[in-house]
Amino acid sequence: MGDKEEKSAEGQAVLDFLYENDEISNTGDFASAAGIDHELVVNVIKSFSARRIVDAQDIKTEKYVLTDEGKPYAVDGSPECRFFLAVPPEGISPDALQMDPALYKIGRTQAFRNKWVGVENSLLRRKVNCNLNPMVHYLILNDQSMNGLSTIFCLCVLKFGLYDLYLIKILRLSTFCRTWKGFSVRKGPEYTRDHKKGPTDITRDHILSGEWKNLKFNQFNCNAQGKYVEGGHLHPLLKVREQFRKIFLEMGFEEMPTNNYVESSFWNFDALFQPQQHPARDSHDTFFLKVPSTTKQLPEDYVERVKNVHESGGYGSKGYNYEWKRDEAEKNLLRTHTTAVSSRMLYLLAQKPSFPKRYFSIDRVFRNEAVDRTHLAEFHQIEGVICDHGLSLADLIKVLKDFFARLGMSKLRFKPAYNPYTSPSMEIFSYHEGFKKWVEVGNSGMFRPEMLRPMGLPEDITVIAWGLSLERPTMILYGYDNIRDLFGHKVNLKLIKENQICRLGIK
Ligand code: FB9
């Protein structure tokens, strides 16, 4: 009695039922009536309809069921309901109130927020006259059909004049919608009462015995889903990164080597004329390395010039007038921006001048920042740098318009901003048709002479640059509203695997 046989048991049950009746109106009821697991019935219906033995129509119903959080609510009411009920009509002093301590805090906060309870001369008093009892709450919560919500809502307003949208929220909190899928089934053109799983392959015996003549072979089910072949999947971030790379390459930029997450404070900060007491340089914002804690090799002559410009200026600048410390500059860190790579490349360019030069970088940067919906301790920075004779702010605005236009962002606004290493600096805003608002899409500026001249770049050489993140555009393109769903250990791999290609710049 192999597996093949068992499977046909539920198959036979379906065929027998259809032999007696026109249709199986709902496979769920059929399965529970026949005492068969609905999953098995669904599988046999799928294979029967593939061989046109039956015609099956999808049935889908949604049912709201209580979440684990909702279950206790349905029994004893929500924390705020219990807090409300624990306050007798004549009022009670807070420390005399009897209530499950685990629910006290949330119950108290919610009941106060709903203005159900208040304090009058240090007594907790009810602020609404209603004799709500758990039963009512139970009734409300047990109205499984969500579409009864509105009536519940009206009911409460009428009956208790209490609830506003709050009720909907609590029901949304404590229930979730379970979707049930089944079929209604009728006989198909190939229906027969005694289904015999036809042989799928012709065998040597069939041919030798001539039996093949009266055998009914199964149709090849050409719509059968092939076996899912697991393959590699590009993470959405990498797909969007490719699109940005393509745009930069089309604009004649060359990619900077960014394969060093560990950088020295010198190239990450000092070379960018960022003073050593700048807040971004303390461990609250920057990940400093324990081992190796300091860098050994720095270009001595250049370091001397950086020291001087920080301490006493030059090149038209009065500097920061503080005592610049070598050991501060030698501290190793996880780079906080790919602008650290730009400083290295511009220094190398100063050693072997050839202009104009257009560089870009797209890689990880690390900032010891509070993690929230749009910020993680690391993100991918995108940076564009153009180094040439006599570039002006107008050139920066022109290239920004060209760059963002290729991203589908044609309406740009610029807001003066401040960066220690650029002056003037501008924040870039783009009008997002979907959000119907101006979105900050990056930052930009002209690298300061205090950064460029000590490198050895001639006076008339100016450098315009801009930066943005890779995560923000990817979140917007793929509709992620929380960066933790896109990047990091909480990522839902299924989403990553099934994500479609989102084209930048496509309206
Ligand atoms: O990416 C950002 N916003 C953005 C970009 C594109 C986008 O596309 C959508 C498809 C339509 C949407 C949004 N921002 C920069 C702006 C904000 O998100 C900002 O709050 C967060 N910023 C990050 C830094 O956060 C601490 C984004 C990141 C950023 C900011 C500045 C730079 C780089 C990355 C820079 C620079 C710079 C300046 C001058 C010279 C050289 C580099």
Side-chain angles (χ1 to χ4, degrees), residues 111-231:
F112 269 73
R113 185 175 295 150
N114 299 343
K115 301 186 185 42
W116 291 352
V117 173
V119 177
E120 273 159 28
N121 34 24
S122 71
L123 273 190
L124 288 170
R125 302 298 307 266
R126 291 185 177 183
K127 287 174 52 122
V128 287
N129 59 6
C130 100
N131 55 4
L132 178 67
N133 63 41
M135 287 316 294
V136 173
H137 221 112
Y138 176 82
L139 278 175
I140 291 171
L141 273 171
N142 262 294
D143 168 289
Q144 298 298 332
S145 59
M146 198 49 139
N147 50 25
L149 247 189
S150 48
T151 42
I152 294 172
F153 177 47
C154 320
L155 162 74
C156 304
V157 171
L158 289 172
K159 194 149 183 199
F160 304 111
L162 262 183
Y163 297 100
D164 53 26
L165 286 179
Y166 171 70
L167 177 70
I168 300 228
K169 192 153 101 7
I170 201 161
L171 278 164
R172 286 198 189 296
L173 271 178
S174 50
T175 59
F176 70 92
C177 169
R178 173 177 295 150
T179 312
W180 179 85
K181 284 207 192 88
F183 297 100
S184 68
V185 184
R186 288 177 162 282
K187 293 187 187 64
E190 302 297 328
Y191 172 85
T192 58
R193 175 145 198 197
D194 59 348
H195 87 96
K196 279 271 162 302
K197 248 188 170 321
T200 44
D201 305 324
I202 187 156
T203 62
R204 184 169 167 286
D205 310 349
H206 290 147
I207 294 169
L208 293 179
S209 65
E211 192 203 344
W212 63 272
K213 287 197 197 69
N214 47 31
L215 277 180
K216 209 170 157 343
F217 288 93
N218 284 359
Q219 304 279 335
F220 273 113
N221 171 4
C222 305
N223 317 333
Q225 293 299 320
K227 200 167 128 19
Y228 179 71
V229 181
E230 189 59 54

Side-chain angles (χ1 to χ4, degrees), residues 265-266 268-281 306 310 320 322 324 336-337 418-421 451:
S265 296
F266 179 78
N268 196 83
F269 291 125
D270 297 278
L272 297 173
F273 195 54
Q274 190 149 351
Q276 294 188 335
Q277 67 282 17
H278 187 283
R281 294 187 67 157
V306 168
H310 277 247
Y320 292 121
Y322 72 98
W324 186 85
T336 62
H337 48 196
Y418 170 80
N419 298 312
Y421 39 87
M451 169 185 168

Side-chain angles (χ1 to χ4, degrees), residues 188-478:
E190 302 297 328
Y191 172 85
T192 58
R193 175 145 198 197
D194 59 348
H195 87 96
K196 279 271 162 302
K197 248 188 170 321
T200 44
D201 305 324
I202 187 156
T203 62
R204 184 169 167 286
D205 310 349
H206 290 147
I207 294 169
L208 293 179
S209 65
E211 192 203 344
W212 63 272
K213 287 197 197 69
N214 47 31
L215 277 180
K216 209 170 157 343
F217 288 93
N218 284 359
Q219 304 279 335
F220 273 113
N221 171 4
C222 305
N223 317 333
Q225 293 299 320
K227 200 167 128 19
Y228 179 71
V229 181
E230 189 59 54
H233 304 270
L234 265 186
H235 185 288
L237 273 174
L238 298 181
K239 289 180 181 168
V240 178
R241 185 177 76 160
E242 275 326 295
Q243 297 178 54
F244 275 102
R245 288 185 77 241
K246 206 161 118 331
I247 288 170
F248 275 116
L249 296 171
E250 281 157 6
M251 292 173 74
F253 284 69
E254 56 188 283
E255 184 156 19
M256 294 186 259
T258 55
N259 53 349
N260 64 315
Y261 293 166
V262 175
E263 184 54 279
S264 65
S265 296
F266 179 78
W267 291 109
N268 196 83
F269 291 125
D270 297 278
L272 297 173
F273 195 54
Q274 190 149 351
Q276 294 188 335
Q277 67 282 17
H278 187 283
R281 294 187 67 157
D282 67 24
S283 57
H284 293 99
D285 283 15
T286 297
F287 296 108
F288 287 95
L289 262 69
K290 274 205 188 59
V291 182
S293 62
T294 58
T295 183
K296 292 291 163 276
Q297 77 276 8
L298 288 173
E300 291 313 321
D301 58 338
Y302 173 40
V303 170
E304 200 47 37
R305 293 195 297 274
V306 168
K307 170 181 168 58
N308 301 339
V309 78
H310 277 247
E311 293 188 339
S312 48
Y315 324 105
S317 166
K318 54 183 185 354
Y320 292 121
N321 186 21
Y322 72 98
E323 194 240 334
W324 186 85
K325 297 187 192 59
R326 172 75 184 238
D327 57 7
E328 184 60 35
E330 288 178 345
K331 283 185 181 166
N332 280 335
L333 45 79
L334 292 181
R335 64 175 176 222
T336 62
H337 48 196
T338 54
T339 319
V341 180
S342 307
S343 60
R344 281 174 177 277
M345 294 301 286
L346 289 167
Y347 172 72
L348 290 176
L349 181 60
Q351 312 324 303
K352 288 201 296 321
S354 78
F355 307 109
K357 269 289 180 203
R358 293 163 167 257
Y359 291 130
F360 79 93
S361 61
I362 307 177
D363 212 326
R364 284 189 195 194
V365 298
F366 308 84
R367 296 185 185 180
N368 188 359
E369 273 173 352
V371 170
D372 66 17
R373 195 180 62 75
T374 58
H375 287 82
L376 284 175
E378 63 181 85
F379 68 91
H380 293 77
Q381 175 169 347
I382 301 170
E383 178 150 319
V385 175
I386 304 179
C387 182
D388 199 356
H389 300 278
L391 290 172
S392 69
L393 198 63
D395 297 304
L396 175 56
I397 291 174
K398 186 164 146 307
V399 74
L400 289 175
K401 284 191 171 154
D402 176 2
F403 176 77
F404 282 98
R406 293 163 188 254
L407 295 172
M409 296 182 233
S410 47
K411 272 194 271 177
L412 292 185
R413 270 193 190 155
F414 302 101
K415 184 172 144 226
Y418 170 80
N419 298 312
Y421 39 87
T422 52
S423 173
S425 309
M426 306 186 298
E427 274 173 359
I428 311 157
F429 289 80
S430 159
Y431 186 75
H432 196 282
E433 304 300 341
F435 301 160
K436 295 270 168 288
K437 66 178 178 148
W438 287 91
V439 176
E440 184 195 347
V441 290
N443 192 307
S444 65
M446 302 192 64
F447 283 138
R448 301 174 69 117
E450 294 94 331
M451 169 185 168
L452 304 176
R453 303 300 308 287
M455 292 173 169
L457 289 167
E459 184 159 0
D460 75 326
I461 287 294
T462 47
V463 181
I464 55 179
W466 72 95
L468 63 158
S469 77
L470 180 62
E471 281 72 8
R472 292 297 295 125
T474 307
M475 287 174 72
I476 292 173
L477 274 174
Y478 282 84

